[in-house]
Amino acid sequence: MDIRPAGDTVDILEKLLAPLHGRRILDIGCGRGSLLRALAERGASVAGLDPDEVMLEVAQTLVPKAALKQGCAQLLPFGDASMHAAIFLNSLHHVPVPDMLQALEEAARVVGKGGSVIVVESLSEGSFFDTLRLIEDETEVRQAAQDAIVRARRRGIVGEARRIEYDRIESFPDAAAFMARAVAIDPSREQRALAAQGKLIARFEALSEHEKGGYVLHQPLRLHHLKVPFTAKPAGTSAMFG
């Protein structure tokens, strides 16, 4: 396991999946398309999946050439071995817990034997998490995502090629900007954020590192680079890429 004091997820992904040029990469839970754009700018041929139609419309505008589909991670509308890699960037924990293992199996199916499945999940620690937990404590679902990875490895669906831990460092001019960031990730948090606003501001100011012009929070991440073994036989059929 590599432990890094800080790092940029896209740079790490580029090194793990190099060369990116021409590689077909699926972003599972692509949201507004930020990762899709970053990968496309580095030469990848990108596809994305998200259950939210509005998010997909934003992503399509951001990355016009991306092949985007609406759907769920546990039933991917992409063909067997149609991708070189599939990525869950802070999205596996949003899959219903009973379906997380199936989501990993589906990802293994669409990348095929020898393909890469990369899961990046926030850990339940760090100043960002400790501030956010006032409006949503994801400790249990984040642990469930880690447990699903362990089960997928034990069943031979994937093997772990590499594990990397590093910090996501975020800067905010004030607590209001942090609240806006938290709600942008999940709009359902808005009412809880408003109800806890006073406590949230106090905790934000107490836990942040104060720097000139703003506040800094740290969120530890764990990246699992999983590989589908050549003996794996994920089941399932669906529409082809694009």
Side-chain angles (χ1 to χ4, degrees):
M1 178 177 69
D2 294 338
I3 300 178
R4 305 186 180 193
D8 178 81
T9 299
V10 177
D11 288 344
I12 295 172
L13 291 174
E14 184 172 22
K15 290 176 182 178
L16 292 176
L17 299 175
L20 285 183
H21 187 75
R23 287 191 179 273
R24 300 185 302 277
I25 300 178
L26 172 62
D27 181 5
I28 301 173
C30 63
R32 293 177 171 84
S34 298
L35 179 60
L36 292 172
R37 179 172 64 177
L39 294 173
E41 288 173 346
R42 288 162 173 77
S45 177
V46 295
L49 175 119
D50 202 274
D52 191 318
E53 185 176 0
V54 174
M55 293 281 196
L56 288 175
E57 290 175 358
V58 175
Q60 195 73 78
T61 301
L62 191 65
V63 194
K65 293 184 178 180
L68 304 182
K69 295 182 183 291
Q70 185 177 14
C72 61
Q74 56 268 41
L75 187 62
L76 295 175
F78 299 94
D80 296 358
S82 59
M83 304 289 167
H84 291 107
I87 300 170
F88 293 88
L89 178 56
N90 282 315
S91 59
L92 183 58
H93 74 272
H94 288 295
V95 175
V97 172
D99 297 331
M100 287 180 179
L101 182 62
Q102 184 177 342
L104 290 170
E105 188 168 11
E106 276 287 274
R109 176 183 65 78
V110 300
V111 302
K113 298 175 182 180
S116 291
V117 176
I118 294 179
V119 183
V120 184
E121 280 288 335
S122 298
L123 300 178
S124 299
E125 56 189 70
S127 54
F128 187 98
F129 171 78
D130 285 336
T131 305
L132 182 65
R133 70 192 306 177
L134 273 176
I135 56 176
E136 184 166 13
D137 188 345
E138 295 182 329
T139 301
E140 290 187 7
V141 291
R142 291 183 184 186
Q143 185 58 51
Q146 297 296 325
D147 293 344
I149 293 168
V150 172
R151 286 187 289 144
R153 292 172 56 198
R154 287 176 176 170
R155 295 191 182 191
I157 298 168
V158 291
E160 187 166 71
R162 195 171 185 185
R163 185 187 303 182
I164 302 172
E165 292 188 4
Y166 59 103
D167 268 1
R168 184 181 72 228
I169 301 171
E170 297 197 36
S171 300
F172 303 92
D174 50 35
F178 171 80
M179 289 179 62
R181 164 85 166 86
V183 171
I185 297 171
D186 183 353
S188 69
R189 294 172 175 167
E190 184 172 10
Q191 292 303 316
R192 297 193 297 274
L194 290 173
Q197 185 171 359
K199 292 181 179 179
L200 191 62
I201 291 172
R203 182 171 291 188
F204 171 83
E205 292 181 346
L207 295 179
S208 327
E209 295 176 10
H210 295 237
E211 292 189 354
K212 186 177 180 180
Y215 303 80
V216 174
L217 294 174
H218 293 255
Q219 176 57 64
L221 303 174
R222 180 177 293 155
L223 181 152
H224 299 265
H225 183 194
L226 309 170
K227 299 284 286 187
V228 180
F230 285 95
T231 55
K233 297 180 180 180
T237 57
S238 54
M240 291 299 292
F241 171 74

